[in-house]
Amino acid sequence: VQLQASGGGLAQAGDSLRLSCAASGLTFSSYRMGWFRQAPGKEREFVANIDRGGGRAYYTDSVKGRFAISRDNAKNTVYLQMNDLKPEDTAVYYCAARTILSAPYAYWGQGTLVTVSS
């Protein structure tokens, strides 16, 4: 199983970025997908997740209204659209996959760095 995250980079406050996570080696539509991030010197935190069909999504409070998670099961890809970026969004962003809500995330991507300058 591989989760390949991409789309990170350098942005200015107020900019937008879209992260992608391409999955292979698993039946993508059977997995709930999530995005996490880890800022320098901090623990990894939950950002957003989405159910198998893409109909339900959940967000941490700090990104509600700014970030949107989506998925394309035909392309085995999950996205994180990030708008109105803030310096505190600077982090390495990871995608992850799990089968059911009560299970831990079984697979993790390698991370993509997002740096937001003020």
Side-chain angles (χ1 to χ4, degrees):
V1 175
Q2 282 195 328
L3 301 179
Q4 184 70 41
S6 62
L10 183 61
Q12 292 189 332
D15 284 352
S16 298
L17 284 175
R18 188 175 82 154
L19 305 183
S20 300
C21 174
S24 60
L26 76 171
T27 305
F28 183 71
S29 59
S30 297
Y31 285 79
R32 298 172 179 269
M33 300 300 296
W35 285 98
F36 293 76
R37 66 186 180 186
Q38 187 167 19
K42 295 187 177 181
E43 293 188 352
R44 187 170 60 195
E45 66 170 352
F46 166 79
V47 176
N49 63 19
I50 191 166
D51 66 4
R52 297 183 189 90
R56 280 194 183 178
Y58 301 91
Y59 301 90
T60 192
D61 286 346
S62 62
V63 308
K64 283 181 182 176
R66 300 189 299 120
F67 289 13
I69 187 172
S70 61
R71 65 190 295 162
D72 185 337
N73 286 346
K75 294 183 178 180
N76 289 357
T77 302
V78 62
Y79 305 96
L80 185 67
Q81 178 67 44
M82 305 187 295
N83 299 325
D84 190 22
L85 283 163
K86 304 177 185 298
E88 52 264 40
D89 295 319
T90 294
V92 177
Y93 284 73
Y94 300 90
C95 57
R98 66 180 175 182
T99 52
I100 57 177
L101 277 175
S102 59
Y105 282 90
Y107 304 110
W108 292 84
Q110 86 289 358
T112 185
L113 176 62
V114 173
T115 303
V116 184
S117 61
S118 57

